Amino acid sequence: YRLPDPAVFGPLELTAENAERGVGVIAQNAPVLGRVSVVKRIAGTERPLSGAVFQLWRESNGQRGLQPTDTRVGDPCTTGADGTCAMAGLPLGTYYWEETAAPA
């Protein structure tokens, strides 16, 4: 989780009048989210390749490696001119890209 900004809560004033019930504050934090990407390149070169289709999966069954019981994330992504597919706003975890279609 991310630290809130500001990370200081209060002031909380404990007085004789509120001592029995106490004083408190609710702190809400947002989870850390990230981004994963894959770049498709032409074999033997550094040139990007457009038109490749990838599906992102999240490890969800406790077994290493992509399994049919893992969780599909979003819709398939087709690489653009830069050869890249990316997905943002993801919780921390283990992810797999599956290439489902290659360009001619």
Side-chain angles (χ1 to χ4, degrees):
Y1 287 84
R2 294 187 194 281
L3 284 173
D5 184 22
V8 176
F9 301 92
L12 302 177
E13 188 172 343
L14 188 59
T15 65
E17 291 77 30
N18 66 20
E20 189 171 314
R21 75 176 182 279
V23 294
V25 66
I26 295 173
Q28 295 182 351
N29 288 333
V32 174
L33 300 177
R35 178 180 190 270
V36 297
S37 62
V38 61
V39 178
K40 179 75 171 182
R41 293 199 171 116
I42 297 171
T45 76
E46 290 298 310
R47 291 181 27 222
L49 185 60
S50 64
V53 181
F54 288 89
Q55 176 64 56
L56 184 64
W57 295 82
R58 179 166 188 195
E59 178 69 64
S60 59
N61 65 5
Q63 295 180 351
R64 189 175 168 95
L66 181 58
Q67 309 289 319
T69 53
D70 285 326
T71 303
R72 184 184 312 257
V73 178
D75 295 324
C77 175
T78 302
T79 58
D82 64 354
T84 301
C85 275
M87 184 82 61
L90 300 171
L92 300 180
T94 300
Y95 292 88
Y96 303 98
W97 283 109
E98 175 189 20
E99 188 170 1
T100 60

